[in-house]
Amino acid sequence: ISETNTTVSLSWSGLYKVISECNYLIAGVEKSNLSDAFKSQAIGEARFLRALCYFNLANLFGGVPLRIDPTTSTTVDLPKSTREQVYAQAEQDWKYAAENLNAAKSSGRASKYAAYAYLTKLYWTLASAEGGSSANWAKAKEMGDQVIALGGYNLEDKFSKLFENKSLGSVESIFQINFSSNTNGYGNRGNWVFSPTNSSNPGISWARYRASKAFYDQFRGTYPDDPRLETTFMVQFKLIKTNNTVHYTYPYLYGA
């Protein structure tokens, strides 16, 4: 993928925009006369978001410039840090967040257990790369156990609830960004890549992202009564340009 690719450049610039805003907020709050309790909470939220950005950057690009202070004319061209250094910074930020954020859930904001959950993900990522003897497996379990035992989360009674429009306050949600429904740009802008061209749910790219027929057949054959089947797979669709004729995408035997 070229560095001029729009998706690449948007991801890079968007993540560093958040990092920059977090750095300026942290520096400003630290110098302020605000209460210590407010400072800890605000800085904890900023460091949580900064860690999330660096975790994603390390996963996507490997080593990247590591900015933890407001950018100046002398630091604008920082060299790359290693992927390991970037992960280490994310770990430090999430540890701070876990120690300083409130335990109570707040819509659209990180909590103590959101930080523990992402530490779980970080340690699992590191352990997966390091192999079976990695000490990070135990760290991942330790963090994850706290989320499960103390976080107050649960599984939805119906799998399909996770994909409803404007799904807010799910018992499964550990951290989510809530979009305003008062604009035309909320929700998942990438949904079109899953939609069949000229169907009743118009898209411009059918088969760009979809499971193979063999995978569907194996899933259905292994778990025939699994309620996730109907929610996960679009087994048929109508072509609006051909008098709404029905086309089947799964399984191999049409209409079966």
Side-chain angles (χ1 to χ4, degrees):
I1 301 176
S2 169
E3 70 276 7
T4 60
N5 179 277
T6 302
T7 303
V8 172
S9 61
L10 285 175
S11 298
W12 179 277
S13 60
L15 290 168
Y16 269 107
K17 181 178 184 294
V18 175
I19 289 170
S20 177
E21 291 171 349
C22 289
N23 288 339
Y24 277 101
L25 186 144
I26 292 168
V29 170
E30 286 177 340
K31 296 175 183 177
S32 73
N33 295 321
L34 296 165
S35 69
D36 289 341
F38 184 90
K39 285 184 178 182
S40 295
Q41 178 70 19
I43 293 173
E45 291 186 20
R47 292 188 67 167
F48 174 91
L49 292 174
R50 186 173 70 181
L52 180 57
C53 291
Y54 274 129
F55 180 69
N56 287 333
L57 282 166
N59 290 342
L60 290 169
F61 301 105
V64 297
L66 192 54
R67 302 183 180 279
I68 56 174
D69 296 301
T71 303
T72 67
S73 59
T74 58
T75 62
V76 70
D77 58 348
L78 280 179
K80 288 196 305 181
S81 296
T82 66
R83 172 179 273 163
E84 291 72 23
Q85 289 171 323
V86 179
Y87 280 143
Q89 181 61 47
E91 179 185 21
Q92 290 179 35
D93 282 345
W94 276 328
K95 280 185 173 181
Y96 180 94
E99 292 171 2
N100 290 278
L101 290 181
N102 293 327
K105 301 174 187 176
S106 181
S107 181
R109 300 174 71 172
S111 70
K112 177 184 297 292
Y113 294 106
Y116 281 132
Y118 273 98
L119 281 169
T120 303
K121 193 170 186 177
L122 170 64
Y123 291 136
W124 179 87
T125 300
L126 295 173
S128 297
E130 293 164 353
S133 61
S134 173
N136 284 311
W137 290 118
K139 292 181 180 180
K141 185 178 186 304
E142 178 187 358
M143 297 295 104
D145 284 347
Q146 293 195 60
V147 178
I148 294 171
L150 305 173
Y153 307 104
N154 211 327
L155 297 179
E156 288 284 5
D157 57 346
K158 291 184 179 181
F159 178 67
S160 58
K161 284 186 178 181
L162 296 174
F163 306 97
E164 293 175 348
N165 290 333
K166 306 176 187 177
S167 179
L168 302 176
S170 169
V171 294
E172 288 195 32
S173 176
I174 295 177
F175 175 71
Q176 71 181 63
I177 298 175
N178 297 328
F179 296 89
S180 170
S181 60
N182 296 324
T183 69
N184 293 325
Y186 75 95
N188 180 4
R189 293 179 296 168
N191 59 53
W192 61 268
V193 299
F194 297 94
S195 301
T197 301
N198 299 324
S199 70
S200 55
N201 180 25
I204 60 173
S205 179
W206 178 239
R208 183 167 176 177
Y209 296 119
R210 65 167 174 171
S212 67
K213 292 179 184 292
F215 178 82
Y216 175 86
D217 287 346
Q218 182 182 22
F219 194 143
R220 193 181 71 162
T222 307
Y223 307 105
D225 299 318
D226 195 315
R228 294 174 296 178
L229 271 169
E230 183 179 356
T231 301
T232 304
F233 297 92
M234 181 188 290
V235 298
Q236 67 182 49
F237 64 93
K238 294 181 179 180
L239 284 178
I240 58 176
K241 289 187 177 181
T242 56
N243 201 27
N244 286 331
T245 56
V246 177
H247 287 244
Y248 292 90
T249 54
Y250 305 107
Y252 274 113
L253 296 177
Y254 284 2

